[in-house]
C-alpha cells in the first residue's frame, strides 16, 4: 500500500544571484544578472528579483537582458561557490527526511510524514535564512505537482500549502502552462481553442484533449484535476540526469549563443553528477526545432566521466555534427550510463539499508559541520518518520 506522505518542493530564489548578493553585500537590493560575457554574447543564467521587474529572465541573451535593464550589474558566475552552497542547503534538507529527490542544483522534493509538511517547510525556510542567509521558497502538498505549483505561488521567500481542497480556488485560475508538459507551443494551440486556464482543461471533454495531446491526454487531465501519483526518485534510482532550456524566442545563433547555453547546461549536469556521487558513460543532446520536431543524439565513451569539460565537449560535438537547420527552440543535455563513485556507493541490498546509507552520507556532512548533537537528532527524526 502506498504510504500517505506530505510532499515539499524546496527551490531557492534567484539562486546564483542571491549567492552573489550574499557574498557581495553591496549588490543587495540591486538588479543583478549572473551570466556570460557582458559584451553581449553570453546568456543570462539568472537574475535577482530586482532585475526581473524589468523583464530579464534566465536563458535570455545578455544583449537583450541589458537592453531591458541597462543599469543591471553583471556578475560572472562562480559554479564552485554555488555548488558549495547547494551542498549546505542539502544538509539542512537532510535533517528532516532521508526521502529526497534532487531535481536541480537549487531544487529538491522532500517526503515527510503526513501532517508534518507545513511545519517542516517553515523550519527549512527559517533555517536556510538563519544559517545561510538565503531566500528559499517551499511548496507543500500531497503530491509533486501541487507542491511545485505551491512553490511557484509562494515565490519569493515564502512557504505555501496547496491541498486538493484548494485546487478550484488556487490552481484552476492559473494559465495552462502551470501543468508539466505544456510548453509555449501547446499553450498557443489551446488558446486558439479557447482553453486558457487549468480549469478549462479540467472541464474539457476527453475527446478534445485526445486530439491535442494524444496518448498523454489522460495524464494532462489528471494533472488539471490536481492528481499526480509520481513518486520521488531518490539518488539511487536515478537512470539519467538532464538539464534543458526552452528559449524565450527561437534561436538562430549557432556560433556563440548555442555553445554558451550548452556550456551552462553541461555545468549543471556535471554538478549534479558529482553531488550525487555518480559518473556517466553517455551524453545525449536533445534539440527541438521551431516546427517542434525533436531529435536526440548520443555518444558513449569507454571511460566514465563527470567533469563539466568532458560533458561540454561531448555535447558540443554532438551539436556541431547534428545541429540541422536553425532556428532551435530547445536544447538539452543528458548524462546516463551511470556508475557510482566508491565513497558514495548506495548499492546495497534492501531499501531500508539504502535509506540508512543515504542518511549516513548526510550525517557525515552534518557532523563535519555542526558536531554530533545534530546527528543524534537526525537519527531520532528518522525513527519518528519510520513510525508512520
Ligand atoms: P531556477 O531555480 O530555475 O531559477 P532561480 O533560482 O534563479 O530563480 P527562481 O527564484 O525562479 O527559482 O534555477 C536555479 C539556478 O540554475 C539559477 O540561479 C541559475 C541556473 N540556471 C541557469 O544557469 N540557466 C537557466 O536557464 C536556468 C533556468 C537556471
Ligand atoms: Mg530557484
Amino acid at each position: 500500500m502506498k504510504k500517505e506522505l506530505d510532499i515539499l518542493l524546496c527551490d531557492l530564489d534567484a539562486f546564483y544571484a542571491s549567492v552573489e548578493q550574499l557574498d557581495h553585500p553591496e549588490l543587495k537590493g540591486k538588479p543583478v544578472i549572473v551570466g556570460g560575457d557582458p559584451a553581449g554574447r553570453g546568456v543570462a543564467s539568472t537574475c535577482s528579483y530586482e532585475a526581473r521587474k524589468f523583464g530579464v529572465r534566465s536563458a535570455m541573451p545578455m544583449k537583450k537582458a541589458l537592453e531591458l535593464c541597462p543599469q543591471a550589474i553583471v556578475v560572472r558566475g562562480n559554479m564552485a561557490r554555488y555548488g558549495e552552497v547547494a551542498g549546505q542547503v542539502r544538509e539542512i534538507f537532510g535533517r528532516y527526511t532521508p526521502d529526497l529527490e534532487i531535481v536541480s542544483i537549487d531544487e529538491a522534493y522532500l517526503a515527510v510524514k503526513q501532517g508534518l509538511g507545513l511545519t517542516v517547510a517553515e523550519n527549512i525556510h527559517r533555517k536556510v535564512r538563519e544559517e545561510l542567509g538565503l531566500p528559499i521558497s517551499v511548496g507543500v502538498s500531497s503530491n509533486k505537482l501541487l507542491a511545485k505549483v505551491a512553490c511557484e505561488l509562494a515565490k519569493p521567500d515564502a512557504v505555501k500549502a496547496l491541498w486538493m481542497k484548494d485546487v478550484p480556488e488556487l490552481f484552476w485560475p492559473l494559465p495552462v502552462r502551470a501543468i508539466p508538459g505544456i510548453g509555449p507551443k501547446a499553450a498557443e494551440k489551446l488558446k486558439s481553442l479557447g482553453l486558457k486556464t487549468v480549469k478549462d482543461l479540467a472541464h474539457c471533454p476527453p475527446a478534445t484533449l485526445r486530439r491535442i495531446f494524444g496518448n498523454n491526454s489522460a495524464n494532462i487531465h489528471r494533472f488539471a484535476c490536481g492528481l499526480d501519483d509520481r513518486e520521488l526518485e531518490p539518488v539511487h534510482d536515478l537512470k539519467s540526469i538532464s538539464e534543458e532550456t526552452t528559449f524565450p524566442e527561437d534561436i538562430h545563433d549557432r556560433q556563440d549563443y548555442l555553445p554558451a547555453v550548452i556550456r551552462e547546461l553541461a555545468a549543471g549536469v556535471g554538478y549534479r553528477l558529482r553531488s550525487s556521487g555518480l559518473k556517466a558513460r553517455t551524453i545525449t543532446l536533445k534539440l527541438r526545432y521551431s516546427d517542434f520536431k525533436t531529435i536526440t543524439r548520443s555518444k558513449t565513451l569507454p571511460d566514465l566521466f563527470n567533469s563539466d569539460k568532458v560533458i561540454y565537449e561531448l555535447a558540443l560535438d554532438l551539436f556541431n555534427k547534428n545541429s540541422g537547420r536553425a532556428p532551435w527552440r530547445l536544447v538539452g543535455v543528458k548524462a546516463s550510463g551511470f556508475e557510482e563513485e566508491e565513497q558514495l556507493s548506495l548499492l546495497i541490498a534492501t531499501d531500508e539499508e539504502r535509506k540508512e546509507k543515504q542518511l549516513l552520507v548526510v550525517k557525515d556532512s552534518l557532523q563535519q559541520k555542526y558536531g554530533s548533537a545534530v546527528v543524534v537528532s537526525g537519527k531520532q527524526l528518522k525513527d519518528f518518520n519510520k513510525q508512520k
Side-chain angles (χ1 to χ4, degrees):
M1 200 180 70
K2 212 178 152 206
K3 276 185 286 184
E4 297 299 329
L5 298 165
D6 285 348
I7 307 294
L8 277 59
L9 193 260
C10 306
D11 183 349
L12 289 139
D13 301 321
F15 180 45
Y16 296 179
S18 298
V19 174
E20 294 301 334
Q21 288 177 324
L22 177 73
D23 291 350
H24 309 281
E26 68 278 12
L27 298 179
K28 285 217 169 91
K30 304 242 169 73
V32 175
I33 301 177
V34 179
D37 185 356
R41 285 180 156 186
V43 192
S45 295
T46 191
C47 63
S48 65
Y49 276 71
E50 292 83 359
R52 293 187 193 193
K53 286 187 211 142
F54 296 86
V56 181
R57 294 287 178 269
S58 287
M60 196 177 256
M62 282 307 270
K63 191 159 173 276
K64 177 159 184 207
L66 288 169
E67 274 163 22
L68 290 169
C69 185
Q71 68 273 49
I73 301 158
V74 178
V75 185
R76 301 302 289 265
N78 178 352
M79 278 308 293
R81 172 71 180 135
Y82 309 144
E84 177 190 33
V85 177
Q88 291 164 350
V89 176
R90 282 177 206 169
E91 283 172 1
I92 293 180
F93 295 162
R95 293 177 207 175
Y96 299 94
T97 177
D99 283 339
L100 82 183
E101 172 184 338
I102 308 295
V103 182
S104 72
I105 188 165
D106 79 330
E107 192 177 338
Y109 285 104
L110 276 64
V112 299
K113 188 176 149 77
Q114 192 176 37
L116 289 183
L118 200 52
T119 311
V120 171
E122 278 160 359
N123 276 313
I124 287 175
H125 181 258
R126 196 179 63 249
K127 294 279 175 200
V128 171
R129 167 63 74 189
E130 280 173 6
E131 295 179 19
L132 306 178
L134 288 171
I136 187 168
S137 297
V138 187
V140 187
S141 190
S142 48
N143 65 42
K144 286 167 85 169
L145 165 78
L146 293 180
K148 170 89 180 163
V149 173
C151 182
E152 291 301 318
L153 293 173
K155 273 187 176 294
D157 199 16
V159 168
K160 185 158 184 70
L162 171 56
W163 305 107
M164 275 307 289
K165 68 176 171 50
D166 307 314
V167 160
E169 189 193 345
L170 297 176
F171 186 35
W172 279 356
L174 299 179
V176 291
R177 293 282 310 269
I179 293 179
I182 301 193
K185 201 85 171 195
E188 250 171 59
K189 185 156 184 199
L190 290 167
K191 194 172 158 200
S192 71
L193 297 168
L195 302 168
K196 292 187 198 132
T197 63
V198 176
K199 182 180 182 180
D200 295 337
L201 285 185
H203 290 85
C204 182
T208 311
L209 287 182
R210 243 192 325 271
R211 269 202 306 280
I212 308 168
F213 295 106
N215 287 342
N216 204 20
S217 64
N219 273 338
I220 298 279
H221 188 253
R222 281 173 57 76
F223 281 161
C225 296
L227 299 168
D228 177 13
D229 50 20
R230 288 173 301 163
E231 300 209 358
L232 266 58
E233 290 177 34
V235 168
H236 62 260
D237 289 344
L238 274 185
K239 302 269 184 296
S240 66
I241 287 179
S242 60
E243 300 268 336
E244 62 181 48
T245 290
T246 303
F247 305 116
E249 290 160 14
D250 288 357
I251 297 302
H252 292 79
D253 178 354
R254 74 170 70 231
Q255 226 33 51
D256 297 305
Y257 182 74
L258 247 298
V261 174
I262 291 172
R263 186 185 289 279
E264 288 289 320
L265 296 171
V269 169
Y271 169 72
R272 285 171 59 199
L273 274 177
R274 293 187 298 277
S275 60
S276 304
L278 296 168
K279 288 188 169 186
R281 256 184 234 288
T282 301
I283 287 297
T284 303
L285 178 85
K286 176 170 162 187
L287 283 177
R288 181 166 295 149
Y289 299 93
S290 58
D291 64 359
F292 238 69
K293 188 180 158 217
T294 306
I295 63 158
T296 56
R297 296 289 182 269
S298 301
K299 180 151 187 171
T300 299
L301 292 189
D303 295 325
L304 290 160
F305 55 85
N306 64 5
S307 82
D308 297 355
K309 185 167 176 284
V310 175
I311 300 168
Y312 169 64
E313 286 169 359
L314 286 172
L316 187 64
D317 187 50
L318 285 167
F319 175 72
N320 287 332
K321 290 187 174 134
N322 304 283
S323 60
R325 193 184 306 164
W328 302 276
R329 57 179 302 119
L330 172 150
V331 62
V333 174
K334 179 170 89 176
S336 59
F338 294 155
E339 268 176 36
E340 293 174 73
E341 287 182 298
E342 221 167 294
Q343 74 272 24
L344 272 177
S345 174
L346 298 170
L347 276 175
I348 312 173
T350 66
D351 268 357
E352 209 46 44
E353 282 174 294
R354 261 201 299 258
K355 275 190 181 168
E356 189 62 43
K357 180 83 177 183
Q358 264 192 323
L359 193 73
L360 273 177
V361 172
V362 176
K363 274 200 248 169
D364 283 346
S365 51
L366 284 176
Q367 194 150 25
Q368 268 173 16
K369 191 161 180 226
Y370 301 102
S372 56
V374 171
V375 176
V376 174
S377 65
K379 168 90 172 70
Q380 283 163 346
L381 197 108
K382 180 171 184 271
D383 290 340
F384 181 46
N385 262 338
K386 264 184 2 196
Q387 286 163 17
K388 58 199 160 189

